[in-house]
Amino acid sequence: MYTALVQQFKDAQLKAAGAYLEVRAAETALFPSDERHCYRAVETRADYRTDRELSDFCDRLSHVLVKEAIHRFSPPGGRLEIHGQKELKNASVDIRGALEAGKCPDFDAFWSHLERTFSGDAGKRIGLIQAAKLIIDGFGIRPNSEIKRTSSAIVLEARIWSEPCHRSSLRKATYHSQSTAAGLTRGLAAFAAHAGFDALASVLKHGRLVDYEFETREKVSFQGLDVAMFNEKWQFKFSHQVGDALSLFISEFGADYLATRDRY
């Protein structure tokens, strides 16, 4: 199915090469070769150019399959991270080697590998483990971290630096911190969807906190979560119900990764 696309592309290249040669012949007939017409408007398709074109097509096709797997197999509210080159290797698919041997890379085998690895419960668990890692990294949680618990909330802080907005008294997360905020909110959205906090999952996924412009100490409130924004950190105040569920989520899906943070 997908491997056949490569052969179809190669066939299209041959047809295109033939069409170019026909135009070249027509040009030669109009301008017979002599000292005045040693330069030609039509360029034939050299082997190196068609080889590069085919290689680029195969690289793009591998990316398309990875994106399709992410779309199909990500857990509700979350997004799988799939590393294409790593999974090609795991599937024993060598794009360069196949092309150099004059063969079509086996993209059908690659897709079968992606299905086996990421579909169903296996893929859902991988996605939730990835979400837990994003949360742990975003809050800088370590095995011996103390979680602040008040009478009304469970409090976690993320080191998110901000800078003034252009010609405004408002602030926004710096470019580097936007990456931290994006990963953290993506992880929390996956957690919330898994734990049944659908309203919270929806706003975290679509609320665009990453590039939100705020006043220092401004508080943004969601269902079960308040986020207070300071110049050098964001403070997340979870309701006890949400915070306790988050603790269980990290224990179930982040325990292995959390244990490795003792090494840092």
Side-chain angles (χ1 to χ4, degrees):
M1 179 169 60
Y2 299 117
T3 303
L5 278 177
V6 182
Q7 185 59 55
Q8 190 173 351
F9 188 86
K10 292 174 70 174
D11 293 343
Q13 285 184 307
L14 289 174
K15 291 179 182 178
Y20 275 102
L21 288 174
E22 289 179 5
V23 179
R24 180 67 176 265
E27 182 188 12
T28 301
L30 287 173
F31 306 105
S33 180
D34 58 28
E35 293 182 357
R36 293 174 303 158
H37 297 108
C38 59
Y39 175 79
R40 294 297 181 187
V42 179
E43 293 183 352
T44 55
R45 293 163 63 82
D47 288 342
Y48 81 88
R49 187 175 298 176
T50 54
D51 289 347
R52 177 63 181 272
E53 185 181 58
L54 178 60
S55 176
D56 288 347
F57 170 78
C58 288
D59 284 340
R60 292 194 300 271
L61 182 56
S62 72
H63 292 313
V64 168
L65 291 177
V66 167
K67 288 183 179 295
E68 182 66 14
I70 291 171
H71 173 70
R72 291 194 192 185
F73 307 139
S74 289
R79 182 181 185 277
L80 273 170
E81 293 294 329
I82 300 177
H83 301 286
Q85 290 301 317
K86 176 184 175 182
E87 297 308 327
L88 281 166
K89 185 176 181 180
N90 289 341
S92 299
V93 176
D94 181 359
I95 293 177
R96 296 288 180 273
L99 293 177
E100 289 172 1
K103 300 177 181 179
C104 294
D106 194 347
F107 285 109
D108 291 336
F110 183 46
W111 178 254
S112 295
H113 165 76
L114 293 174
E115 279 191 314
R116 287 194 305 272
T117 305
F118 298 105
S119 65
D121 290 341
K124 179 181 179 182
R125 182 167 182 82
I126 291 171
L128 295 175
I129 288 172
Q130 291 174 348
K133 181 178 182 298
L134 290 172
I135 294 169
I136 291 167
D137 286 343
F139 288 129
I141 300 173
R142 296 182 181 277
N144 60 350
S145 293
E146 292 186 10
I147 307 302
K148 183 179 179 181
R149 188 182 186 97
T150 69
S151 60
S152 60
I154 292 173
V155 183
L156 288 167
E157 293 184 348
R159 183 58 64 187
I160 296 177
W161 301 81
S162 66
E163 61 188 2
C165 297
H166 182 60
R167 295 182 178 179
S168 172
S169 62
L170 298 177
R171 302 183 69 86
K172 64 178 180 180
T174 62
Y175 178 80
H176 176 74
S177 289
Q178 283 183 356
S179 177
T180 301
L184 181 54
T185 54
R186 190 164 73 244
L188 287 173
F191 145 71
H194 174 73
F197 303 115
D198 295 337
L200 178 59
S202 179
V203 294
L204 286 172
K205 187 175 181 180
H206 304 294
R208 298 188 61 81
L209 270 179
V210 174
D211 53 7
Y212 184 75
E213 297 181 357
F214 59 91
E215 295 181 352
T216 302
R217 297 181 177 274
E218 180 178 346
K219 182 175 71 174
V220 180
S221 296
F222 306 124
Q223 188 170 326
L225 170 64
D226 292 335
V227 183
M229 299 175 172
F230 301 88
N231 291 358
E232 299 177 358
K233 66 180 180 181
W234 287 4
Q235 192 175 71
F236 289 69
K237 296 182 178 181
F238 299 92
S239 69
H240 286 166
Q241 182 185 14
V242 175
D244 288 340
L246 178 59
S247 180
L248 290 173
F249 179 84
I250 293 173
S251 296
E252 180 177 359
F253 297 105
D256 290 344
Y257 175 66
L258 190 58
T260 67
R261 290 177 62 81
D262 262 341
R263 305 170 191 167
Y264 303 127

